[in-house]
């Protein structure tokens, strides 16, 4: 029996540990801007819904409650601009990362199949391909891909790590190309609520997909918009034939969102006030860090959306990581997201106001 882990790269975050130790030794403590994990409180309306559903002794269902599916379809139409969504067009997920990692295998892909993802990208797209035994393919432009053997195409807008937002023409071109070549297009839209200088659009928007979900999936997460990373609350929406197949596979696998989390998701999607409040927090932190980084000599590229500033001093990324660690600031090396990121770092603005202020002071000298 061969070890599945032999197909995978070294877990990137382990390589950051020595720099984390250096940053933690700062007299005023570490400012961890490396992982984009929420630090602000879970909104009360969501916690109340979770608590009210906490007496849930029975098994939940993989497809979720009727109330959850109603909430998902309503949000997809209301927020994404989709048309005609019903329960067949949504699927609850146990967080989006498990879906990204497992999707190629759950679709039955394997040796001889190819999975494409952006050249600068969340590393789990590649991991999912490797877990299935498929060939990972990094691309610069969708329409320049060789379609031979290509079964799954990932988009990511807004991008992690760069914060780049694909415009409507780019999205339409990608959808058209994927449909022309019979390739399933899956759009990771987990940062869609966090546009700053651009307004992200879903591939499921009627103006992008022509009112049809055929050949398309969109993946969404409540981790960022609602501070629910600890809840593992996410969902996929789109092509009913693909989601129906995945539902059957996932029933056999027992991939069930816990019943209290399903109730919390319903509450989170019904309330937009907390999303606006959280956006305001992130906007303040983003502005403060961007100004401090630029004054320190960084150039910020893209970063029009998401929770990160894609930053460079035109030097190898590990040199930048090391220099900032000496200031007690920990950031993610761009190399984690592909060789094309070797001279950039990803700076998250998910730390508390107090820690962001500390970083700003240190950068100012």
């Amino acid at each position: 029996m061969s070890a599945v882990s032999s197909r995978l790269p070294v877990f990137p975050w382990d390589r950051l540990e020595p720099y984390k130790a250096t940053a933690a030794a700062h007299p005023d403590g570490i400012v961890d801007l490396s992982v984009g994990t929420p630090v602000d409180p879970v909104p009360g309306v969501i916690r109340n819904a979770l608590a009210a559903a906490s007496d849930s002794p029975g098994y939940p269902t993989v497809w979720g409650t009727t109330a959850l599916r109603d909430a998902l379809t309503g949000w997809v139409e209301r927020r994404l601009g989709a048309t005609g969504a019903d329960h067949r067009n949504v699927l609850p997920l146990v967080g989006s990362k498990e879906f990204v990692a497992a999707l190629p295998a759950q679709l039955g892909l394997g040796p001889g199949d190819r999975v494409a993802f952006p050249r600068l990208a969340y590393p789990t797209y590649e991991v999912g391909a490797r877990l299935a035994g498929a060939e990972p393919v990094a691309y610069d432009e969708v329409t320049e891909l060789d379609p031979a053997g290509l079964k799954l195409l990932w988009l990511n807008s807004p991008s992690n790590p760069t914060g780049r937002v694909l415009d409507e023409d780019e999205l339409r071109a990608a959808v058209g190309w994927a449909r022309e070549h019979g390739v399933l297009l899956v759009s990771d839209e987990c940062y869609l609520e966090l546009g700053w200088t651009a307004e992200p659009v879903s591939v499921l928007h009627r103006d992008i997909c022509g009112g049809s979900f055929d050949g398309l999936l969109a993946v969404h997460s409540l981790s960022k918009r609602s501070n629910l990373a600890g809840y593992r609350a996410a969902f996929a929406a789109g092509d009913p034939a693909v989601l129906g197949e995945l539902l059957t596979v996932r029933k056999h696998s027992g991939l069930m969102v816990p019943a209290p989390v399903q109730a919390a998701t319903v509450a989170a999607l019904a309330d937009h006030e907390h999303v606006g409040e959280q956006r305001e927090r992130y906007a303040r932190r983003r502005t403060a860090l961007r100004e401090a980084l630029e004054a320190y000599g960084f150039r910020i590229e893209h970063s029009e959306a998401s929770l990160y500033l894609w930053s460079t001093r035109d030097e190898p990324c590990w040199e930048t990581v090391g220099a900032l660690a000496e200031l007690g600031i920990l950031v993610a090396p761009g190399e984690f997201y592909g060789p094309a990121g070797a001279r950039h770092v990803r700076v998250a603005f998910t730390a508390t106001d107090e820690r962001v202020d500390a970083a700003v002071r240190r950068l100012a000298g």
Side-chain angles (χ1 to χ4, degrees):
M1 183 169 60
S2 62
V4 174
S5 62
S6 66
R7 304 176 193 168
L8 305 178
V10 174
F11 187 64
W13 295 97
D14 291 343
R15 298 171 58 196
L16 202 57
E17 286 302 314
Y19 300 91
K20 186 174 183 178
T22 298
H26 190 279
D28 186 38
I30 188 173
V31 179
D32 193 342
L33 307 178
S34 62
V35 181
T37 187
V39 298
D40 299 301
V42 174
V45 65
I46 300 173
R47 283 183 285 144
N48 290 341
L50 183 84
S54 61
D55 186 14
S56 298
Y59 290 111
T61 65
V62 172
W63 205 15
T65 62
T66 299
L68 176 59
R69 283 177 267 138
D70 283 343
L72 295 178
T73 55
W75 190 87
V76 164
E77 290 209 336
R78 183 175 65 252
R79 180 63 184 87
L80 301 187
T83 302
D86 61 33
H87 288 190
R88 299 170 305 135
N89 300 114
V90 294
L91 180 66
L93 307 175
V94 191
S96 59
K97 183 170 185 175
E98 65 87 359
F99 184 74
V100 173
L103 181 60
Q106 290 179 359
L107 290 171
L109 304 190
D113 297 323
R114 300 164 71 230
V115 175
F117 48 84
R119 191 166 302 281
L120 274 168
Y122 184 46
T124 311
Y125 306 135
E126 179 179 355
V127 166
R130 293 188 180 280
L131 285 172
E135 178 188 350
V137 178
Y139 68 81
D140 294 306
E141 297 292 339
V142 168
T143 55
E144 296 175 0
L145 277 164
D146 178 359
L150 189 63
K151 299 296 179 64
L152 173 59
L153 167 64
W154 284 102
L155 296 186
N156 181 207
S157 176
S159 164
N160 173 17
T162 69
R164 181 188 174 201
V165 173
L166 298 178
D167 64 33
E168 293 189 14
D169 288 341
E170 290 173 305
L171 291 172
R172 276 190 288 267
V175 169
W177 186 92
R179 285 175 167 168
E180 178 185 353
H181 296 287
V183 178
L184 176 65
L185 186 156
V186 185
S187 180
D188 179 349
E189 301 174 353
C190 289
Y191 296 91
L192 184 128
E193 298 272 33
L194 296 163
W196 308 112
T197 60
E199 185 61 42
V201 179
S202 173
V203 295
L204 301 186
H205 192 287
R206 63 184 71 86
D207 292 341
I208 304 300
C209 68
S212 168
F213 300 139
D214 289 351
L216 305 175
L217 295 182
V219 183
H220 285 268
S221 169
L222 280 72
S223 294
K224 316 300 184 184
R225 72 185 292 279
S226 301
N227 300 335
L228 296 188
Y231 283 45
R232 311 315 300 136
F235 64 94
D239 190 321
V242 177
L243 291 177
E245 171 66 12
L246 291 172
L247 175 60
T248 299
V249 171
R250 293 167 70 85
K251 283 179 178 177
H252 283 288
S253 303
L255 290 167
M256 300 172 284
V257 176
V261 175
Q262 293 189 28
T265 300
V266 173
L269 293 177
D271 178 70
H272 194 70
E273 183 176 353
H274 77 273
V275 179
E277 292 172 353
Q278 189 60 43
R279 276 180 53 87
E280 290 177 4
R281 295 186 189 103
Y282 285 142
R284 291 194 301 270
R285 295 165 186 167
R286 177 181 183 272
T287 297
L289 279 172
R290 179 166 193 146
E291 291 176 353
L293 288 166
E294 289 178 333
Y296 193 74
F298 281 92
R299 184 174 71 256
I300 311 300
E301 297 181 353
H302 296 302
S303 305
E304 55 258 35
S306 83
L307 291 176
Y308 314 107
L309 294 168
W310 187 237
S311 311
T312 183
R313 293 200 302 182
D314 296 309
E315 65 186 8
C317 61
W318 288 103
E319 290 185 18
T320 309
V321 170
L324 291 175
E326 294 293 335
L327 297 178
I329 301 170
L330 189 68
V331 298
E335 188 180 275
F336 281 6
Y337 307 94
R343 299 179 73 82
H344 289 73
V345 294
R346 193 194 74 171
V347 183
F349 42 90
T350 52
T352 63
D353 290 342
E354 185 274 331
R355 288 289 82 187
V356 168
D357 289 344
V360 169
R361 289 195 302 272
R362 294 175 197 182
L363 290 166

